[in-house]
Amino acid sequence: MANHRISLEGNSCEFQQEGQDTVLRAALRAGVGFPYECNSGGCGSCKFDLLEGEIENLWPDAPGLTERDRRKNYLLACQCRATSDLKIKMRPAQEYVPPIAPQRRKATFVGAVDLTHDIREFRFVAEGEADFLPGQYASLTIPGIESPRAYSMSNLANGQGEWHFQVRRVPSGSATERLFHQLAMGDEVEIDGPYGLAWLREDNPRDIACIAGGSGLAPMISIARGASAAGLLKTRNLHFFYGGRTPRDICGESLLSQLPEFGKSIHFHPVVSLPEQDPGETWSGATGYVHDVVRSELHDRITDVEFYFAGPPPMTKALQEMLMVGYRVPFEQVHFDRFF
Ligand code: FES
């Protein structure tokens, strides 16, 4: 596929789109702060105006555009590829400049470990360093699956090229069926990343809350590991909340307990919404919704905490409303990536 030059109106910035990249990924690889969140057509953050040139629209009906946007001919940078040189209108912003420029690399499947009845950690090794920040995600192209899938890393950046992903099996989900049942040792995938804005901030003295549900476990474990490795937990607490439907969904404690601060400055708070669901399982911990347990644990100091969360949309929505609307926790202290 040909390369195309993309320039921004009213800005000296221009960048190249190579191969199969979207306009958004080409911008991020070039270090341009193109606003985005989901990278998958759902949120509308990457809207732009096409002034000159031709594009291929990968998903014309993407829900990230409203009818009003469509009438104004806006496009989504994560769903468009240039098919000629382009001139576009959009406002880059410093907070979207990638701290590490995303790259594509081939990686080999080297092993998997079950964490719960439906979450498994998949491990891959790629050439070169695995370079990402705790809490970021990558896009995986899996042979036999048409479109790439976004999964967060659970480990830390390393010089051995190791990328670990904790994936929850989705009933009748084609990508997870392939990963769980057909991926064989030595199979190759493509890893494109890192992406995401909900990475660990080290530049403040606040206590940390990591809140996870489902396979939101991976980025939160990575943040806890990163905070420990950076020495942040010598002087502050990290509260780790994990919400599951039933007792057998609960996980994370065995991974956190490998960190030296566990039981000292790392506090684990599991929460179950349906404690009676599993016959034969007894549950004596917290019950209900995870955001309610966050509120009762942190209530009197909630505005002094740095929040990270990842999980099912109802959980992340309830947390956003509680923290940002209810308690007015400053926007800069709340970190999550929206997935659709
Ligand atoms: Fe493009 Fe969300 S719609 S980043």
Side-chain angles (χ1 to χ4, degrees):
M1 239 178 150
N3 295 351
H4 299 293
R5 200 178 65 238
I6 300 173
S7 52
L8 306 188
E9 189 204 48
N11 191 307
S12 56
C13 165
E14 64 173 43
F15 56 94
Q16 289 280 330
Q17 177 202 281
E18 297 178 4
Q20 292 291 320
D21 265 345
T22 58
V23 169
L24 175 64
R25 291 191 185 204
L28 297 175
R29 285 189 217 293
V32 175
F34 205 122
Y36 79 108
E37 279 191 53
C38 69
N39 218 331
S40 59
C43 73
S45 308
C46 65
K47 266 187 297 210
F48 73 98
D49 207 358
L50 178 62
L51 303 178
E52 286 170 25
E54 304 289 329
I55 54 103
E56 176 191 3
N57 195 338
L58 304 176
W59 190 10
D61 300 326
L65 286 179
T66 61
E67 278 317 308
R68 189 157 175 263
D69 292 333
R70 286 180 216 284
R71 279 199 299 277
K72 291 183 156 187
N73 290 325
Y74 286 144
L75 294 162
L76 295 174
C78 69
Q79 300 302 321
C80 285
R81 277 190 201 125
T83 54
S84 72
D85 289 352
L86 304 181
K87 182 180 241 189
I88 66 174
K89 189 168 163 191
M90 72 93 191
R91 198 171 296 147
Q94 186 59 34
E95 68 259 38
Y96 294 99
V97 172
I100 298 166
Q103 290 177 25
R104 294 179 192 276
R105 72 260 296 158
K106 294 269 174 258
T108 305
F109 176 52
V110 294
V113 185
D114 280 332
L115 300 180
T116 67
H117 65 104
D118 65 354
I119 298 181
R120 186 175 291 174
E121 180 169 289
F122 294 86
R123 297 179 173 181
F124 298 89
V125 173
E127 271 192 17
E129 290 188 8
D131 201 7
F132 54 86
L133 297 175
Q136 288 195 293
Y137 69 90
S139 166
L140 255 71
T141 304
I142 305 161
I145 299 296
E146 205 176 315
S147 50
R149 298 292 198 276
Y151 297 116
S152 297
M153 286 70 81
S154 58
N155 60 333
L156 297 179
N158 61 86
Q160 295 76 45
E162 288 195 28
W163 298 73
H164 299 177
F165 303 94
Q166 293 164 349
V167 180
R168 180 159 183 246
R169 185 189 289 124
V170 179
S172 69
S174 57
T176 57
E177 279 304 302
R178 181 109 196 151
L179 280 171
F180 276 76
H181 299 301
Q182 291 161 25
L183 197 67
M185 295 286 265
D187 279 357
E188 268 202 351
V189 300
E190 183 188 83
I191 295 176
D192 180 11
Y195 293 103
L197 308 167
W199 37 269
L200 174 67
R201 273 42 175 199
E202 297 184 16
D203 59 353
N204 68 78
R206 285 182 281 275
D207 282 354
I208 296 168
C210 294
I211 309 160
S215 53
L217 178 70
M220 297 302 110
I221 287 289
S222 181
I223 283 175
R225 287 172 167 160
S228 171
L232 307 187
L233 304 182
K234 292 190 180 111
T235 53
R236 63 187 101 174
N237 289 298
L238 184 148
H239 291 272
F240 197 105
F241 298 86
Y242 188 85
R245 292 177 70 241
T246 70
R248 69 184 188 139
D249 293 331
I250 294 300
C251 56
E253 186 167 11
S254 62
L255 302 171
L256 292 170
S257 65
Q258 294 163 11
L259 301 174
E261 299 88 351
F262 186 74
K264 299 173 193 136
S265 52
I266 296 180
H267 313 277
F268 183 59
H269 309 278
V271 189
V272 157
S273 57
L274 298 171
E276 314 294 340
Q277 189 89 350
D278 293 336
E281 297 260 8
T282 51
W283 180 253
S284 53
T287 57
Y289 292 115
V290 70
H291 67 277
D292 287 330
V293 177
V294 172
R295 176 172 30 221
S296 60
E297 285 292 333
L298 302 178
H299 174 69
D300 54 344
R301 55 194 189 284
I302 211 160
T303 53
D304 293 326
V305 174
E306 197 81 7
F307 284 92
Y308 301 88
F309 48 86
M315 184 198 96
T316 57
K317 190 162 177 284
L319 282 165
Q320 281 174 69
E321 282 172 7
M322 182 184 86
L323 296 175
M324 295 157 87
V325 182
Y327 282 96
R328 309 237 170 129
V329 176
F331 184 73
E332 316 75 60
Q333 284 171 231
V334 180
H335 311 281
F336 61 98
D337 284 315
R338 284 202 277 173
F339 290 108
F340 294 88

